[in-house]
Amino acid sequence: MSDLHSIKSLFSIKDENIEITEIREAVYKNRKVTLAESTLTRVFRRCPCCKATADQLVKNSKKVSMILLNRSGNKRAYLRLKKQRYHCRTCGKYFTARKHVPAELHHIKKAFFTYEKGILLAFIEPYSNARLENLHTHIKVLKRVSYGFRSFTNMRLRILLINGLIKYT
């Protein structure tokens, strides 16, 4: 059991209600991946809809979610999370145990995984294209504002002067 706990800490899984049952190699979306089988079970004292007591709640199957944990090299690691579903006898509604990431943050998590390599490089490398983007924006604005320059050389000199690339003497 301690091995599974160290795997939880390795993947930064902070929810105490997630229990990892097995780690195995599998094929998911035509790729060889590391798959962590797990379950999410919470003890509910009341129904979140009608506030009925726990004796009115019945376990009702499990909903499976595949969550991308990380990419290490060409191999991806997924958490196959079986979330416990419940049924309330009083109000007749179904609900699922939830994990610790709120739904409002899922798009941020997805963006982070999409641009993970670029974000990490921004912290490691001292280079940035911010000055180049600033220069590009200045050129576009100047081009829009100065629609009547007589020659390209005058416009070029104005761009260089505004951005401090040459000094006026």
Side-chain angles (χ1 to χ4, degrees):
M1 196 66 180
S2 64
D3 290 339
L4 296 176
H5 178 50
S6 61
I7 289 170
K8 272 179 75 169
S9 62
L10 176 70
F11 289 130
S12 301
I13 299 172
K14 296 179 176 88
D15 197 337
E16 311 88 39
N17 298 313
I18 294 177
E19 181 184 329
I20 296 179
T21 55
E22 177 187 7
I23 304 287
R24 62 184 170 90
E25 297 289 320
V27 176
Y28 179 66
K29 293 185 177 179
N30 296 327
R31 286 191 173 159
K32 203 171 188 181
V33 298
T34 303
L35 194 64
E37 296 279 348
S38 62
T39 56
L40 173 65
T41 307
R42 290 221 167 111
V43 178
F44 287 95
R45 291 181 176 78
R46 297 192 169 278
C47 171
C49 304
C50 69
K51 307 297 184 213
T53 57
D55 59 331
Q56 295 297 315
L57 302 178
V58 180
K59 288 184 178 181
N60 183 354
S61 75
K62 292 184 179 178
K63 181 180 177 183
V64 178
S65 298
M66 293 292 281
I67 301 167
L68 178 63
L69 292 173
N70 69 355
R71 298 176 196 154
S72 55
N74 291 333
K75 198 172 226 184
R76 294 181 178 192
Y78 282 93
L79 181 71
R80 186 171 187 262
L81 185 62
K82 296 176 190 170
K83 297 183 269 188
Q84 183 65 57
R85 292 183 44 117
Y86 293 92
H87 174 69
C88 178
R89 291 181 189 156
T90 307
C91 65
K93 295 196 176 177
Y94 294 89
F95 58 94
T96 307
R98 302 230 167 116
K99 54 191 181 304
H100 71 281
V101 178
E104 299 85 37
L105 300 178
H106 282 229
H107 68 282
I108 295 171
K109 184 176 81 171
K110 188 173 183 178
F112 178 77
F113 281 122
T114 304
Y115 302 110
E116 181 180 13
K117 190 180 285 183
I119 292 169
L120 293 175
L121 281 174
F123 287 112
I124 296 168
E125 299 294 331
Y127 310 113
S128 171
N129 70 338
R131 295 184 81 190
L132 182 65
E133 289 291 334
N134 185 28
L135 179 65
H136 183 255
T137 304
H138 276 129
I139 291 171
K140 286 176 75 172
V141 168
L142 185 64
K143 187 174 139 186
R144 194 176 323 118
V145 170
S146 58
Y147 198 54
F149 269 111
R150 292 186 181 183
S151 69
F152 176 73
T153 55
N154 290 347
M155 184 177 155
R156 182 177 175 275
L157 284 173
R158 178 85 184 261
I159 291 169
L160 295 173
L161 277 170
I162 287 175
N163 290 294
L165 299 173
I166 61 169
K167 302 281 188 233
Y168 180 74
T169 56

